[in-house]
Amino acid sequence: MTDDERAIRELVKTWFEASHSGDLQTVLDLMTDDAIFLVPGAEPFGKKVFAAAFNGMKGVLIESKSDIQEIQIFGDWAYFRSHIDMTATAPGGTPARRSGYALTIMRKEPDGRWRLARDANLLTARDV
């Protein structure tokens, strides 16, 4: 495994840990300023809308895992393909499970850190 692949895998691990703990600032620091997200049934959105949605989920317990199935690196750009399982539980609520595949494009920034630049997330509702 190359240093770049290790760094990308560590970013994914950090993303899921920060999401679980509700640490928006860490998650935002893991993406480029021009990040774009693609999800079913919605227009593409950027970092500002992502942050607003994250803040709207305060108190919701997010438990998730990612199985990275492929990583390809091309200089300062990379992509990875993964399968994600996520369960979100609002306080006193019923767990909502989503799972599916994602294709994520990463960019190595001038500071040498990999960051998420584009994410096509195909998670859909699943029975708990």
Side-chain angles (χ1 to χ4, degrees):
M1 186 181 315
T2 68
D3 288 344
D4 285 328
E5 184 176 341
R6 259 189 294 285
I8 290 168
R9 288 180 182 277
E10 185 61 31
L11 180 147
V12 172
K13 179 180 174 220
T14 301
W15 183 290
F16 283 101
E17 288 171 350
S19 295
H20 177 75
S21 68
D23 183 355
L24 174 60
Q25 191 53 54
T26 294
V27 174
L28 292 176
D29 191 45
L30 298 173
M31 64 180 81
T32 63
D33 288 337
D34 65 344
I36 295 175
F37 296 87
L38 306 167
V39 298
E43 291 293 317
F45 58 91
K47 198 170 185 176
K48 184 176 179 180
V49 171
F50 178 95
F54 193 102
N55 278 328
M57 294 181 62
K58 284 198 185 300
V60 175
L61 177 61
I62 304 291
E63 298 176 283
S64 52
K65 64 180 178 177
S66 175
D67 175 23
I68 296 175
Q69 299 176 340
E70 173 186 16
I71 296 178
Q72 296 293 324
I73 300 169
F74 309 94
D76 289 343
W77 289 91
Y79 74 82
F80 68 89
R81 184 174 53 85
S82 60
H83 184 269
I84 299 170
D85 281 306
M86 182 196 79
T87 303
T89 308
T94 302
R97 180 172 176 235
R98 299 175 65 77
S99 67
Y101 293 91
L103 182 63
T104 305
I105 299 173
M106 308 293 292
R107 184 170 66 218
K108 194 177 221 180
E109 297 284 271
D111 66 2
R113 292 181 56 206
W114 286 98
R115 289 189 173 85
L116 179 146
R118 305 290 184 268
D119 187 66
N121 182 313
L122 303 174
L123 275 63
T124 57
R126 299 286 190 244
D127 293 332
V128 175

